[in-house]
């Protein structure tokens, strides 16, 4: 330290005089000796950069200001308030998660210690503050705690533009002394302790911080809304059923939202039977996903009054048209009933959908001849149904045209097609339902490579193998 001051004297720098001069500047000023050690920091620098003090090294965020050589290796750094606030706004805009934004607000606040108080869940308050270890922690209290600090509730309710908190009450401030509170977001406040330069600076910082907090809060609410809606559009977990093995693949075209126009469902009944469906709404993305949700809900309701697949499709067609459906849907609906001697008896009906496939025990693949018109568009549509029996270990495959119309990664004109699908299914003889779905998914995605694809969905229904 003494050597540093001698260096100052040797170069003609009167540090005491420098301090008196720069304290009147409207910029933060930091003077460093040739070794990079802080020798002078004016009042504003101490507010904008609380970690700057005589004998410390220069923090990286100060280096973003204006630099001036003073001679003999001595350097002065200048940082204007507007520049500092603009830089804070840029840094606050970087994180998108609400918690990360609040941590950044606390870390960048122009004070030795900052606390952000915000409305929380169930009418409580959140208190975000610096910790002795240098991190940021959050505590939660009732709203009544704010009233134990005289004048603070008035700031939270925006009755006043700022308040000095001389009595801190029971709040988890993590600091002592006098705090200066200014409004932040609606029902929130920024409270700073230690060397506050001006209330105007805190207000200007709080305005930028509030914009970042409100943006992250809106984004979080939107994400919660999307997650809630998406949860109702994703396939439900496949049930465990005696005598049946089930597996599925669901790969939407739009991976960002994880939902699409394809869907499948299995609805068990108390008698051990079940209804099942796999469908494909025209198009993909959010509009198709929303329509698939309507189709699924309609089917779920109609199953209460009708279990026969062909009649169920007639009712669904009428219901969708009555609701003003503009998108057509193709689907296969079926019922399954375990047979006492082993195996499953299936009754199937289809509306404009690719024919189901059956993998027999000897590796043969049969196509189930079941036909019908598309659903939800025309007033008069014919649907027929057929019955198929699966011996123990045999498998029924329902799939969307995303499989057969998958385009080869190095030749976008060539489709995966029915022949390759049947061959891939034949390779699954003797495999479990999960192994069948995994194999088909792998084969199709090897074909696709990294290329884009349509919604791609399949449902495997397998009669449980005989146990030894």
């Amino acid at each position: 330290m003494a050597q540093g001051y001698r260096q100052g004297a040797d170069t003609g720098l009167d540090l005491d005089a420098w301090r008196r001069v720069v304290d009147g500047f409207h910029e933060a000023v930091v003077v460093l000796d040739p070794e990079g050690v802080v020798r002078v920091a004016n009042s504003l620098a101490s507010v904008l950069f609380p970690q700057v003090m005589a004998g410390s090294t220069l923090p990286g965020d100060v280096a973003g200001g204006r630099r001036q050589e003073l001679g003999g290796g001595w350097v002065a750094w200048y940082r204007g308030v507007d520049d500092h606030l603009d830089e804070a706004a840029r840094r606050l805009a970087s994180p998108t998660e609400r918690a990360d934004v609040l941590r950044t607000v606390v870390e960048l606040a122009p004070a030795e210690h900052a606390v952000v108080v915000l409305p929380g869940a169930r009418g409580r308050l959140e208190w975000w503050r610096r910790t002795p270890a240098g991190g940021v922690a959050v505590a939660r209290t009732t709203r009544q705690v704010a009233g134990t600090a005289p004048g603070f509730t008035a700031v939270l309710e925006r009755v006043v533009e700022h308040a000095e908190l001389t009595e801190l009450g029971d709040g988890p401030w993590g600091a002592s002394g006098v705090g200066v509170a200014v409004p932040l977001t609606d029902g929130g406040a920024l409270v700073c302790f230690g060397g506050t330069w001006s209330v105007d600076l805190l207000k200007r910082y709080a305005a930028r911080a509030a914009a970042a907090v409100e943006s992250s809060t809106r984004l979080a609410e939107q994400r919660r809304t999307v997650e809630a809606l998406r949860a109702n559009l994703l396939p439900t977990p496949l049930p465990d059923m005696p005598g049946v093995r089930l597996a599925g693949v669901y790969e939407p075209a739009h991976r960002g939202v994880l939902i699409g126009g394809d869907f499948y469902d299995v609805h068990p009944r108390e008698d051990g039977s079940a209804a099942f469906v796999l469908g494909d709404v025209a198009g993909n993305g959010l509009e198709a996903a929303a329509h698939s949700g309507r189709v699924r809900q309609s089917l779920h309701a109609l199953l209460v009054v009708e279990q026969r697949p062909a009649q169920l499709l007639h009712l669904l067609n009428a219901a969708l048209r009555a609701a003003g459906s503009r998108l057509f849907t193709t689907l296969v609906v079926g019922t399954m009933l375990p047979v006492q001697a082993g195996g499953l008896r299936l009754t199937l009906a289809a509306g404009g959908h690719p024919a189901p496939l059956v993998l027999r025990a000897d590796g043969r693949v049969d196509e189930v001849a079941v036909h019908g018109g598309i659903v939800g568009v025309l007033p008069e549509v014919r649907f027929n149904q057929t019955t198929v029996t699966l011996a123990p270990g045999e498998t029924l495959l329902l799939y969307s045209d995303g499989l057969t119309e998958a385009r080869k990664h190095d030749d976008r004109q060539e489709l995966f097609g029915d022949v390759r699908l049947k061959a891939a299914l034949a390779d699954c003889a003797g495999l479990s339902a999960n192994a069948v779905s995994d194999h088909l998914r792998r084969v199709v995605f090897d074909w696709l490579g990294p290329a884009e694809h349509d919604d791609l969905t399949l449902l495997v229904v397998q009669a449980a193998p005989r146990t030894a």
Side-chain angles (χ1 to χ4, degrees):
M1 180 75 74
Q3 181 183 1
Y5 280 102
R6 286 197 301 272
Q7 288 174 339
D10 293 345
T11 56
L13 292 175
D14 184 339
L15 297 180
D16 289 335
W18 268 99
R19 289 189 190 93
R20 290 192 296 271
V21 170
V22 299
D23 266 345
F25 281 27
H26 290 285
E27 288 182 301
V29 181
V30 179
V31 178
L32 288 80
D33 67 18
E35 296 177 358
V37 177
V38 174
R39 295 307 181 191
V40 174
N42 71 350
S43 299
L44 181 53
S46 299
V47 171
L48 297 185
F49 312 105
Q51 67 273 44
V52 171
M53 58 188 69
S56 66
T57 56
L58 186 69
D61 50 4
V62 181
R66 180 167 52 88
R67 184 177 189 272
Q68 182 176 351
E69 300 289 343
L70 301 178
W74 287 69
V75 176
W77 285 98
Y78 303 85
R79 186 73 173 272
V81 172
D82 289 337
D83 291 338
H84 180 76
L85 293 175
D86 290 344
E87 176 62 22
R90 284 191 291 271
R91 292 178 62 181
L92 287 168
S94 297
T96 57
E97 296 294 334
R98 179 175 180 271
D100 293 337
V101 171
L102 290 170
R103 292 188 188 96
T104 306
V105 170
V106 171
E107 291 167 352
L108 297 182
E112 294 177 8
H113 184 82
V115 182
V116 171
V117 182
L118 293 173
R122 295 184 292 277
R124 298 171 70 82
L125 288 177
E126 295 179 357
W127 305 67
W128 295 78
R129 61 176 176 81
R130 289 193 182 114
T131 66
V136 176
V138 59
R140 293 172 176 82
T141 70
T142 62
R143 291 191 61 83
Q144 286 74 14
V145 171
T148 64
F152 187 45
T153 300
V155 176
L156 292 175
E157 296 176 352
R158 293 185 178 269
V159 176
V160 298
E161 293 186 355
H162 75 279
E164 286 193 0
L165 308 183
T166 56
E167 298 178 33
L168 299 182
D170 301 328
W173 301 102
S176 59
V178 177
V180 178
V182 295
L184 191 66
T185 60
D186 187 26
L190 170 68
V191 186
C192 292
F193 295 83
T196 301
W197 181 59
S198 74
V199 172
D200 178 66
L201 172 62
L202 293 187
K203 288 180 179 178
R204 294 172 67 187
Y205 176 76
R208 288 161 171 79
V213 172
E214 289 170 349
S215 176
S216 66
T217 300
R218 285 194 301 271
L219 182 60
E221 291 173 350
Q222 290 171 357
R223 285 174 176 168
R224 285 194 295 270
T225 300
V226 169
E227 288 298 327
L229 294 173
R230 186 165 63 188
N232 291 325
L233 297 174
L234 290 172
T236 55
L238 293 170
D240 292 326
M241 295 178 57
V244 183
R245 302 294 182 265
L246 300 168
V249 170
Y250 180 75
E251 295 285 353
H254 295 278
R255 301 300 302 276
V257 294
L258 298 179
I259 51 177
D262 287 5
F263 62 94
Y264 62 76
D265 284 302
V266 177
H267 301 278
R269 303 190 185 105
E270 293 183 359
D271 63 358
S273 66
F276 58 92
V277 59
L278 185 143
D280 181 359
V281 172
N284 50 51
L286 292 175
E287 184 181 11
H291 188 70
S292 74
R294 287 191 291 270
V295 174
R296 294 172 68 193
Q297 291 170 5
S298 299
L299 274 170
H300 189 72
L302 292 172
L303 280 168
V304 175
V305 297
E306 180 60 71
Q307 287 79 44
R308 294 170 296 177
Q311 283 76 5
L312 189 61
L313 287 179
H314 278 292
L315 292 176
L316 178 63
N317 186 67
L320 293 177
R321 292 192 69 256
S325 171
R326 294 183 299 174
L327 296 177
F328 68 79
T329 304
T330 71
L331 66 167
V332 176
V333 176
T335 60
M336 67 177 86
L337 179 65
V339 180
Q340 188 172 6
L344 291 173
R345 185 166 59 248
L346 309 174
T347 302
L348 303 169
H353 201 81
L357 301 176
V358 173
L359 174 61
R360 297 299 182 184
D362 60 4
R364 187 178 78 255
V365 174
D366 295 334
E367 187 174 293
V368 180
V370 59
H371 306 288
I374 58 175
V375 179
V377 178
L378 302 175
E380 297 294 334
V381 186
R382 291 182 178 275
F383 304 105
N384 58 23
Q385 66 184 42
T386 189
T387 299
V388 176
T389 300
L390 298 182
E394 293 185 337
T395 299
L396 173 77
L397 175 67
L398 307 181
Y399 59 95
S400 67
D401 59 13
L403 272 77
T404 52
E405 295 181 3
R407 297 182 180 274
K408 191 176 183 181
H409 63 91
D410 57 357
D411 182 358
R412 302 297 288 164
Q413 300 304 311
E414 188 173 1
L415 304 182
F416 189 71
D418 298 324
V419 174
R420 288 187 181 87
L421 178 58
K422 291 178 181 178
L425 182 59
D427 291 337
C428 297
L431 298 183
S432 68
N434 284 325
V436 172
S437 66
D438 290 345
H439 177 75
L440 294 178
R441 184 191 183 282
R442 183 171 59 254
V443 169
V444 173
F445 275 91
D446 285 346
W447 175 267
L448 280 165
E452 294 181 355
H453 60 84
D454 195 1
D455 294 335
L456 191 155
T457 304
L458 62 85
L459 177 65
V460 176
V461 178
Q462 186 177 80
R466 288 191 176 94
T467 57

